[in-house]
Amino acid sequence: MSDAIRVCRRDALGDGVRVVPLSKDERGRPREALVLLDEEGTLRAYLNRCEHLPIPLDAGSREFLSADRRYLVCGTHGALYRLGDGFCVEGPCAGRSLLALPVRVDEGWVEIEV
């Protein structure tokens, strides 16, 4: 069994985005996961990195969702990623997807597998 990072209780996740620190990347840069529920209530986790440029989606603002709450949005250039699969539907990275991370619920706790 792999290690896991415990995020929060499943019933406390709500309709926002949880930011979870991860280990640093191969260059020593900090990494984060975004944990959320999609439109159908399915648990999702993605690496907080735009597919256009290797920068966090929120560029430090901690705002991740579009005004209609249907997409993750890149604050730098406006790319829109679907919540359910991380697929970019608009912007310079259209056609690419965010890196999905393994996420599960264990005894009521949301966990990201690392």
Side-chain angles (χ1 to χ4, degrees):
M1 183 171 156
S2 64
D3 291 330
I5 297 172
R6 190 170 271 187
V7 177
C8 65
R9 298 285 304 168
R10 167 63 177 83
D11 55 4
L13 195 53
D15 63 351
V17 176
R18 290 276 178 140
V19 179
V20 181
L22 301 173
S23 60
K24 294 183 178 182
D25 72 9
E26 64 281 348
R27 292 183 161 173
R29 294 177 296 204
R31 296 182 320 141
E32 297 174 324
L34 303 178
V35 179
L36 57 109
L37 299 174
D38 68 15
E39 306 90 341
E40 318 240 320
T42 302
L43 185 61
R44 305 288 181 183
Y46 301 106
L47 187 63
N48 182 13
R49 184 184 68 215
C50 183
E51 287 300 306
H52 175 58
L53 298 171
I55 57 175
L57 287 177
D58 64 315
S61 71
R62 290 307 191 227
E63 294 182 24
F64 296 98
L65 297 172
S66 60
D68 62 7
R69 306 185 68 75
R70 293 180 50 214
Y71 300 98
L72 288 168
V73 62
C74 179
T76 302
H77 61 268
L80 298 177
Y81 295 92
R82 293 189 302 223
L83 298 180
D85 59 8
F87 185 81
C88 182
V89 297
E90 183 177 307
C93 43
R96 295 191 295 197
S97 296
L98 297 172
L99 177 64
L101 301 172
V103 63
R104 67 179 183 227
V105 176
D106 184 31
E107 296 183 9
W109 288 94
V110 174
E111 297 179 341
I112 298 174
E113 297 178 42
V114 292

